[in-house]
Amino acid sequence: VSVGKVFRNEATDATHEMQFFQVDGCAVGENITVANLKATLLTLYRGLLGEDIEIQLRPSFFPFVEPGLEVWIKFRNRWLEVMGAGMLHPNVLRNVGIDPEKYQGFAFGGGVDRILVVKHDISDVRYFYQGDLRINQW
């Protein structure tokens, strides 16, 4: 797992920013499945947002994984897309010297800022980058 700053060409508004923090993770081993990925993400989001979280994986495209999955969580009776994920493509494993016939893996990546906005009822994600420490009062 790693956390870092992401910059991208993005039109900014209350829910989107051209910079944000992202958490990425992956696991590689024998007999790794989508069920392992889902259990990992469910544990992550329940730890962040509480035990009543539901999770859905919906088909999508993301480079380097097959199948690619959008990760959606239900929080406060609202479904939110929170990250992309999927099973590592066999070529990704081959390119780093891992035999995809023996080993499988999953990967995920998503923004941290969006989770904080939802959890703490912050009305505008851009507040994080204005330098005002009173953000928790908004």
mmCIF file of all heavy atoms in Angstrom, residues 16-55:
data_model
loop_
_atom_site.group_PDB
_atom_site.id
_atom_site.type_symbol
_atom_site.label_atom_id
_atom_site.label_comp_id
_atom_site.label_asym_id
_atom_site.label_seq_id
_atom_site.Cartn_x
_atom_site.Cartn_y
_atom_site.Cartn_z
ATOM 1 N N HIS A 16 -14.628 17.840 -7.306
ATOM 2 C CA HIS A 16 -13.444 17.439 -8.083
ATOM 3 C C HIS A 16 -12.348 18.482 -7.931
ATOM 4 O O HIS A 16 -12.612 19.682 -7.936
ATOM 5 C CB HIS A 16 -13.794 17.310 -9.571
ATOM 6 C CG HIS A 16 -14.789 16.242 -9.848
ATOM 7 N ND1 HIS A 16 -16.146 16.467 -9.777
ATOM 8 C CD2 HIS A 16 -14.634 14.949 -10.177
ATOM 9 C CE1 HIS A 16 -16.783 15.350 -10.064
ATOM 10 N NE2 HIS A 16 -15.891 14.407 -10.302
ATOM 11 N N GLU A 17 -11.118 18.013 -7.826
ATOM 12 C CA GLU A 17 -9.963 18.902 -7.713
ATOM 13 C C GLU A 17 -8.862 18.355 -8.603
ATOM 14 O O GLU A 17 -8.798 17.151 -8.854
ATOM 15 C CB GLU A 17 -9.515 18.972 -6.243
ATOM 16 C CG GLU A 17 -8.325 19.843 -5.950
ATOM 17 C CD GLU A 17 -8.460 21.291 -6.399
ATOM 18 O OE1 GLU A 17 -8.248 21.562 -7.585
ATOM 19 O OE2 GLU A 17 -8.748 22.152 -5.554
ATOM 20 N N MET A 18 -8.008 19.240 -9.116
ATOM 21 C CA MET A 18 -6.929 18.795 -9.991
ATOM 22 C C MET A 18 -5.744 18.201 -9.222
ATOM 23 O O MET A 18 -4.813 17.688 -9.807
ATOM 24 C CB MET A 18 -6.453 19.931 -10.911
ATOM 25 C CG MET A 18 -6.102 21.239 -10.190
ATOM 26 S SD MET A 18 -4.644 21.228 -9.156
ATOM 27 C CE MET A 18 -3.366 21.450 -10.323
ATOM 28 N N GLN A 19 -5.805 18.232 -7.917
ATOM 29 C CA GLN A 19 -4.807 17.591 -7.058
ATOM 30 C C GLN A 19 -5.544 16.884 -5.920
ATOM 31 O O GLN A 19 -6.576 17.351 -5.464
ATOM 32 C CB GLN A 19 -3.839 18.623 -6.482
ATOM 33 C CG GLN A 19 -4.513 19.671 -5.613
ATOM 34 C CD GLN A 19 -3.549 20.661 -5.039
ATOM 35 O OE1 GLN A 19 -2.409 20.331 -4.778
ATOM 36 N NE2 GLN A 19 -4.003 21.882 -4.826
ATOM 37 N N PHE A 20 -5.025 15.755 -5.525
ATOM 38 C CA PHE A 20 -5.641 15.023 -4.428
ATOM 39 C C PHE A 20 -4.672 13.956 -3.949
ATOM 40 O O PHE A 20 -3.672 13.663 -4.608
ATOM 41 C CB PHE A 20 -6.989 14.395 -4.827
ATOM 42 C CG PHE A 20 -6.930 13.494 -6.030
ATOM 43 C CD1 PHE A 20 -6.750 12.129 -5.892
ATOM 44 C CD2 PHE A 20 -7.071 14.010 -7.301
ATOM 45 C CE1 PHE A 20 -6.699 11.293 -7.000
ATOM 46 C CE2 PHE A 20 -7.030 13.188 -8.424
ATOM 47 C CZ PHE A 20 -6.840 11.834 -8.267
ATOM 48 N N PHE A 21 -4.957 13.399 -2.788
ATOM 49 C CA PHE A 21 -4.168 12.285 -2.268
ATOM 50 C C PHE A 21 -4.838 10.989 -2.677
ATOM 51 O O PHE A 21 -6.061 10.880 -2.663
ATOM 52 C CB PHE A 21 -4.031 12.371 -0.745
ATOM 53 C CG PHE A 21 -3.061 13.417 -0.309
ATOM 54 C CD1 PHE A 21 -3.502 14.688 -0.012
ATOM 55 C CD2 PHE A 21 -1.707 13.132 -0.231
ATOM 56 C CE1 PHE A 21 -2.610 15.674 0.366
ATOM 57 C CE2 PHE A 21 -0.809 14.107 0.159
ATOM 58 C CZ PHE A 21 -1.255 15.377 0.444
ATOM 59 N N GLN A 22 -4.028 10.019 -3.061
ATOM 60 C CA GLN A 22 -4.553 8.727 -3.483
ATOM 61 C C GLN A 22 -3.853 7.619 -2.722
ATOM 62 O O GLN A 22 -2.666 7.705 -2.432
ATOM 63 C CB GLN A 22 -4.325 8.536 -4.989
ATOM 64 C CG GLN A 22 -4.823 7.189 -5.491
ATOM 65 C CD GLN A 22 -5.032 7.171 -6.983
ATOM 66 O OE1 GLN A 22 -5.641 8.070 -7.532
ATOM 67 N NE2 GLN A 22 -4.539 6.136 -7.643
ATOM 68 N N VAL A 23 -4.609 6.571 -2.402
ATOM 69 C CA VAL A 23 -4.050 5.362 -1.805
ATOM 70 C C VAL A 23 -4.099 4.276 -2.876
ATOM 71 O O VAL A 23 -5.117 4.101 -3.538
ATOM 72 C CB VAL A 23 -4.788 4.943 -0.513
ATOM 73 C CG1 VAL A 23 -6.255 4.646 -0.762
ATOM 74 C CG2 VAL A 23 -4.117 3.761 0.143
ATOM 75 N N ASP A 24 -2.974 3.622 -3.088
ATOM 76 C CA ASP A 24 -2.870 2.505 -4.028
ATOM 77 C C ASP A 24 -2.426 1.276 -3.253
ATOM 78 O O ASP A 24 -1.665 1.379 -2.297
ATOM 79 C CB ASP A 24 -1.813 2.776 -5.108
ATOM 80 C CG ASP A 24 -2.187 3.919 -6.031
ATOM 81 O OD1 ASP A 24 -3.376 4.052 -6.349
ATOM 82 O OD2 ASP A 24 -1.279 4.668 -6.438
ATOM 83 N N GLY A 25 -2.882 0.137 -3.699
ATOM 84 C CA GLY A 25 -2.460 -1.100 -3.053
ATOM 85 C C GLY A 25 -2.511 -2.253 -4.023
ATOM 86 O O GLY A 25 -3.197 -2.197 -5.052
ATOM 87 N N CYS A 26 -1.763 -3.286 -3.706
ATOM 88 C CA CYS A 26 -1.836 -4.515 -4.489
ATOM 89 C C CYS A 26 -1.408 -5.681 -3.612
ATOM 90 O O CYS A 26 -0.760 -5.512 -2.592
ATOM 91 C CB CYS A 26 -0.994 -4.444 -5.755
ATOM 92 S SG CYS A 26 0.770 -4.497 -5.514
ATOM 93 N N ALA A 27 -1.840 -6.852 -4.044
ATOM 94 C CA ALA A 27 -1.453 -8.096 -3.385
ATOM 95 C C ALA A 27 -1.206 -9.123 -4.471
ATOM 96 O O ALA A 27 -1.938 -9.183 -5.457
ATOM 97 C CB ALA A 27 -2.548 -8.580 -2.440
ATOM 98 N N VAL A 28 -0.146 -9.897 -4.306
ATOM 99 C CA VAL A 28 0.182 -10.962 -5.252
ATOM 100 C C VAL A 28 0.468 -12.218 -4.449
ATOM 101 O O VAL A 28 1.164 -12.174 -3.429
ATOM 102 C CB VAL A 28 1.413 -10.587 -6.111
ATOM 103 C CG1 VAL A 28 1.825 -11.747 -7.011
ATOM 104 C CG2 VAL A 28 1.139 -9.343 -6.943
ATOM 105 N N GLY A 29 -0.086 -13.329 -4.882
ATOM 106 C CA GLY A 29 0.154 -14.596 -4.201
ATOM 107 C C GLY A 29 -0.557 -15.720 -4.934
ATOM 108 O O GLY A 29 -1.145 -15.518 -5.996
ATOM 109 N N GLU A 30 -0.512 -16.883 -4.358
ATOM 110 C CA GLU A 30 -1.213 -18.018 -4.941
ATOM 111 C C GLU A 30 -2.689 -17.952 -4.560
ATOM 112 O O GLU A 30 -3.036 -17.600 -3.436
ATOM 113 C CB GLU A 30 -0.594 -19.325 -4.442
ATOM 114 C CG GLU A 30 0.833 -19.528 -4.932
ATOM 115 C CD GLU A 30 1.414 -20.863 -4.496
ATOM 116 O OE1 GLU A 30 0.752 -21.893 -4.706
ATOM 117 O OE2 GLU A 30 2.528 -20.843 -3.941
ATOM 118 N N ASN A 31 -3.523 -18.254 -5.524
ATOM 119 C CA ASN A 31 -4.979 -18.347 -5.305
ATOM 120 C C ASN A 31 -5.624 -17.031 -4.861
ATOM 121 O O ASN A 31 -6.605 -17.038 -4.120
ATOM 122 C CB ASN A 31 -5.309 -19.459 -4.309
ATOM 123 C CG ASN A 31 -4.759 -20.797 -4.764
ATOM 124 O OD1 ASN A 31 -4.955 -21.184 -5.915
ATOM 125 N ND2 ASN A 31 -4.046 -21.479 -3.885
ATOM 126 N N ILE A 32 -5.096 -15.898 -5.292
ATOM 127 C CA ILE A 32 -5.715 -14.599 -5.013
ATOM 128 C C ILE A 32 -6.892 -14.429 -5.981
ATOM 129 O O ILE A 32 -6.760 -14.684 -7.171
ATOM 130 C CB ILE A 32 -4.704 -13.449 -5.204
ATOM 131 C CG1 ILE A 32 -3.510 -13.591 -4.264
ATOM 132 C CG2 ILE A 32 -5.385 -12.091 -5.044
ATOM 133 C CD1 ILE A 32 -3.795 -13.290 -2.829
ATOM 134 N N THR A 33 -8.045 -14.007 -5.453
ATOM 135 C CA THR A 33 -9.249 -13.864 -6.272
ATOM 136 C C THR A 33 -9.904 -12.503 -6.060
ATOM 137 O O THR A 33 -9.503 -11.740 -5.168
ATOM 138 C CB THR A 33 -10.280 -14.957 -5.928
ATOM 139 O OG1 THR A 33 -10.778 -14.698 -4.596
ATOM 140 C CG2 THR A 33 -9.677 -16.356 -6.002
ATOM 141 N N VAL A 34 -10.950 -12.244 -6.824
ATOM 142 C CA VAL A 34 -11.749 -11.033 -6.634
ATOM 143 C C VAL A 34 -12.370 -11.023 -5.236
ATOM 144 O O VAL A 34 -12.533 -9.967 -4.631
ATOM 145 C CB VAL A 34 -12.826 -10.909 -7.736
ATOM 146 C CG1 VAL A 34 -13.781 -9.764 -7.445
ATOM 147 C CG2 VAL A 34 -12.179 -10.718 -9.101
ATOM 148 N N ALA A 35 -12.667 -12.192 -4.702
ATOM 149 C CA ALA A 35 -13.209 -12.255 -3.336
ATOM 150 C C ALA A 35 -12.206 -11.695 -2.327
ATOM 151 O O ALA A 35 -12.601 -10.993 -1.384
ATOM 152 C CB ALA A 35 -13.577 -13.695 -2.971
ATOM 153 N N ASN A 36 -10.918 -11.958 -2.525
ATOM 154 C CA ASN A 36 -9.891 -11.389 -1.643
ATOM 155 C C ASN A 36 -9.845 -9.870 -1.780
ATOM 156 O O ASN A 36 -9.710 -9.151 -0.777
ATOM 157 C CB ASN A 36 -8.512 -11.959 -1.965
ATOM 158 C CG ASN A 36 -8.441 -13.447 -1.791
ATOM 159 O OD1 ASN A 36 -8.189 -14.177 -2.746
ATOM 160 N ND2 ASN A 36 -8.661 -13.938 -0.582
ATOM 161 N N LEU A 37 -9.960 -9.390 -3.009
ATOM 162 C CA LEU A 37 -9.988 -7.948 -3.256
ATOM 163 C C LEU A 37 -11.179 -7.316 -2.549
ATOM 164 O O LEU A 37 -11.036 -6.328 -1.826
ATOM 165 C CB LEU A 37 -10.056 -7.674 -4.761
ATOM 166 C CG LEU A 37 -10.363 -6.246 -5.200
ATOM 167 C CD1 LEU A 37 -9.288 -5.281 -4.734
ATOM 168 C CD2 LEU A 37 -10.524 -6.186 -6.719
ATOM 169 N N LYS A 38 -12.358 -7.875 -2.726
ATOM 170 C CA LYS A 38 -13.566 -7.315 -2.120
ATOM 171 C C LYS A 38 -13.472 -7.320 -0.598
ATOM 172 O O LYS A 38 -13.823 -6.336 0.055
ATOM 173 C CB LYS A 38 -14.799 -8.083 -2.588
ATOM 174 C CG LYS A 38 -16.091 -7.459 -2.126
ATOM 175 C CD LYS A 38 -17.304 -8.119 -2.740
ATOM 176 C CE LYS A 38 -18.575 -7.418 -2.282
ATOM 177 N NZ LYS A 38 -19.773 -8.012 -2.891
ATOM 178 N N ALA A 39 -12.974 -8.404 -0.022
ATOM 179 C CA ALA A 39 -12.832 -8.476 1.442
ATOM 180 C C ALA A 39 -11.842 -7.430 1.947
ATOM 181 O O ALA A 39 -12.073 -6.795 2.987
ATOM 182 C CB ALA A 39 -12.395 -9.873 1.857
ATOM 183 N N THR A 40 -10.757 -7.226 1.223
ATOM 184 C CA THR A 40 -9.761 -6.218 1.603
ATOM 185 C C THR A 40 -10.374 -4.827 1.591
ATOM 186 O O THR A 40 -10.202 -4.043 2.541
ATOM 187 C CB THR A 40 -8.546 -6.284 0.656
ATOM 188 O OG1 THR A 40 -7.953 -7.576 0.763
ATOM 189 C CG2 THR A 40 -7.516 -5.218 0.981
ATOM 190 N N LEU A 41 -11.090 -4.514 0.517
ATOM 191 C CA LEU A 41 -11.692 -3.183 0.397
ATOM 192 C C LEU A 41 -12.817 -2.971 1.407
ATOM 193 O O LEU A 41 -12.960 -1.876 1.955
ATOM 194 C CB LEU A 41 -12.181 -2.958 -1.029
ATOM 195 C CG LEU A 41 -11.068 -2.941 -2.080
ATOM 196 C CD1 LEU A 41 -11.654 -2.826 -3.474
ATOM 197 C CD2 LEU A 41 -10.068 -1.824 -1.810
ATOM 198 N N LEU A 42 -13.591 -3.991 1.660
ATOM 199 C CA LEU A 42 -14.655 -3.888 2.663
ATOM 200 C C LEU A 42 -14.052 -3.616 4.048
ATOM 201 O O LEU A 42 -14.536 -2.761 4.795
ATOM 202 C CB LEU A 42 -15.497 -5.159 2.687
ATOM 203 C CG LEU A 42 -16.754 -5.131 3.531
ATOM 204 C CD1 LEU A 42 -17.690 -3.997 3.129
ATOM 205 C CD2 LEU A 42 -17.475 -6.462 3.426
ATOM 206 N N THR A 43 -12.972 -4.293 4.366
ATOM 207 C CA THR A 43 -12.276 -4.062 5.641
ATOM 208 C C THR A 43 -11.740 -2.631 5.703
ATOM 209 O O THR A 43 -11.870 -1.950 6.732
ATOM 210 C CB THR A 43 -11.130 -5.072 5.810
ATOM 211 O OG1 THR A 43 -11.674 -6.389 5.806
ATOM 212 C CG2 THR A 43 -10.371 -4.838 7.106
ATOM 213 N N LEU A 44 -11.143 -2.154 4.606
ATOM 214 C CA LEU A 44 -10.616 -0.787 4.549
ATOM 215 C C LEU A 44 -11.716 0.234 4.801
ATOM 216 O O LEU A 44 -11.597 1.088 5.687
ATOM 217 C CB LEU A 44 -9.965 -0.534 3.181
ATOM 218 C CG LEU A 44 -9.570 0.905 2.887
ATOM 219 C CD1 LEU A 44 -8.393 1.336 3.748
ATOM 220 C CD2 LEU A 44 -9.253 1.077 1.417
ATOM 221 N N TYR A 45 -12.806 0.133 4.055
ATOM 222 C CA TYR A 45 -13.855 1.147 4.174
ATOM 223 C C TYR A 45 -14.656 1.033 5.469
ATOM 224 O O TYR A 45 -15.097 2.048 6.011
ATOM 225 C CB TYR A 45 -14.762 1.146 2.941
ATOM 226 C CG TYR A 45 -14.054 1.802 1.781
ATOM 227 C CD1 TYR A 45 -13.598 1.065 0.709
ATOM 228 C CD2 TYR A 45 -13.791 3.167 1.803
ATOM 229 C CE1 TYR A 45 -12.908 1.670 -0.335
ATOM 230 C CE2 TYR A 45 -13.105 3.785 0.769
ATOM 231 C CZ TYR A 45 -12.672 3.025 -0.290
ATOM 232 O OH TYR A 45 -11.985 3.636 -1.312
ATOM 233 N N ARG A 46 -14.807 -0.154 5.994
ATOM 234 C CA ARG A 46 -15.454 -0.274 7.304
ATOM 235 C C ARG A 46 -14.572 0.340 8.384
ATOM 236 O O ARG A 46 -15.073 0.942 9.335
ATOM 237 C CB ARG A 46 -15.787 -1.730 7.608
ATOM 238 C CG ARG A 46 -17.004 -2.189 6.835
ATOM 239 C CD ARG A 46 -17.449 -3.569 7.188
ATOM 240 N NE ARG A 46 -18.734 -3.847 6.544
ATOM 241 C CZ ARG A 46 -19.257 -5.047 6.452
ATOM 242 N NH1 ARG A 46 -18.647 -6.095 6.969
ATOM 243 N NH2 ARG A 46 -20.413 -5.203 5.847
ATOM 244 N N GLY A 47 -13.274 0.197 8.257
ATOM 245 C CA GLY A 47 -12.366 0.832 9.202
ATOM 246 C C GLY A 47 -12.415 2.349 9.120
ATOM 247 O O GLY A 47 -12.311 3.043 10.130
ATOM 248 N N LEU A 48 -12.595 2.879 7.927
ATOM 249 C CA LEU A 48 -12.638 4.332 7.746
ATOM 250 C C LEU A 48 -13.997 4.946 8.069
ATOM 251 O O LEU A 48 -14.071 6.033 8.630
ATOM 252 C CB LEU A 48 -12.291 4.693 6.295
ATOM 253 C CG LEU A 48 -10.854 4.495 5.855
ATOM 254 C CD1 LEU A 48 -10.733 4.692 4.355
ATOM 255 C CD2 LEU A 48 -9.938 5.462 6.594
ATOM 256 N N LEU A 49 -15.071 4.234 7.701
ATOM 257 C CA LEU A 49 -16.395 4.850 7.741
ATOM 258 C C LEU A 49 -17.401 4.161 8.646
ATOM 259 O O LEU A 49 -18.495 4.673 8.834
ATOM 260 C CB LEU A 49 -16.961 4.925 6.317
ATOM 261 C CG LEU A 49 -16.133 5.757 5.335
ATOM 262 C CD1 LEU A 49 -16.676 5.589 3.929
ATOM 263 C CD2 LEU A 49 -16.099 7.216 5.742
ATOM 264 N N GLY A 50 -17.073 2.998 9.181
ATOM 265 C CA GLY A 50 -17.992 2.311 10.081
ATOM 266 C C GLY A 50 -18.460 0.978 9.527
ATOM 267 O O GLY A 50 -18.368 0.698 8.337
ATOM 268 N N GLU A 51 -18.970 0.168 10.414
ATOM 269 C CA GLU A 51 -19.332 -1.210 10.088
ATOM 270 C C GLU A 51 -20.534 -1.349 9.160
ATOM 271 O O GLU A 51 -20.734 -2.398 8.562
ATOM 272 C CB GLU A 51 -19.599 -1.998 11.378
ATOM 273 C CG GLU A 51 -18.345 -2.291 12.168
ATOM 274 C CD GLU A 51 -17.364 -3.179 11.399
ATOM 275 O OE1 GLU A 51 -17.799 -4.171 10.790
ATOM 276 O OE2 GLU A 51 -16.167 -2.863 11.413
ATOM 277 N N ASP A 52 -21.350 -0.321 9.022
ATOM 278 C CA ASP A 52 -22.566 -0.457 8.220
ATOM 279 C C ASP A 52 -22.342 -0.211 6.725
ATOM 280 O O ASP A 52 -23.290 -0.070 5.959
ATOM 281 C CB ASP A 52 -23.658 0.481 8.754
ATOM 282 C CG ASP A 52 -23.245 1.945 8.727
ATOM 283 O OD1 ASP A 52 -22.038 2.223 8.627
ATOM 284 O OD2 ASP A 52 -24.130 2.801 8.824
ATOM 285 N N ILE A 53 -21.108 -0.183 6.292
ATOM 286 C CA ILE A 53 -20.767 0.042 4.883
ATOM 287 C C ILE A 53 -21.138 -1.174 4.045
ATOM 288 O O ILE A 53 -20.890 -2.309 4.432
ATOM 289 C CB ILE A 53 -19.252 0.322 4.736
ATOM 290 C CG1 ILE A 53 -18.876 1.626 5.415
ATOM 291 C CG2 ILE A 53 -18.818 0.324 3.274
ATOM 292 C CD1 ILE A 53 -19.550 2.838 4.854
ATOM 293 N N GLU A 54 -21.734 -0.921 2.885
ATOM 294 C CA GLU A 54 -21.928 -1.946 1.862
ATOM 295 C C GLU A 54 -20.981 -1.630 0.716
ATOM 296 O O GLU A 54 -20.585 -0.473 0.532
ATOM 297 C CB GLU A 54 -23.365 -1.947 1.354
ATOM 298 C CG GLU A 54 -24.393 -2.361 2.382
ATOM 299 C CD GLU A 54 -25.797 -2.320 1.802
ATOM 300 O OE1 GLU A 54 -25.995 -2.868 0.690
ATOM 301 O OE2 GLU A 54 -26.666 -1.724 2.453
ATOM 302 N N ILE A 55 -20.630 -2.631 -0.077
ATOM 303 C CA ILE A 55 -19.701 -2.430 -1.174
ATOM 304 C C ILE A 55 -20.225 -3.145 -2.408
ATOM 305 O O ILE A 55 -20.840 -4.211 -2.300
ATOM 306 C CB ILE A 55 -18.282 -2.914 -0.788
ATOM 307 C CG1 ILE A 55 -17.247 -2.460 -1.799
ATOM 308 C CG2 ILE A 55 -18.241 -4.404 -0.595
ATOM 309 C CD1 ILE A 55 -15.811 -2.654 -1.339
#
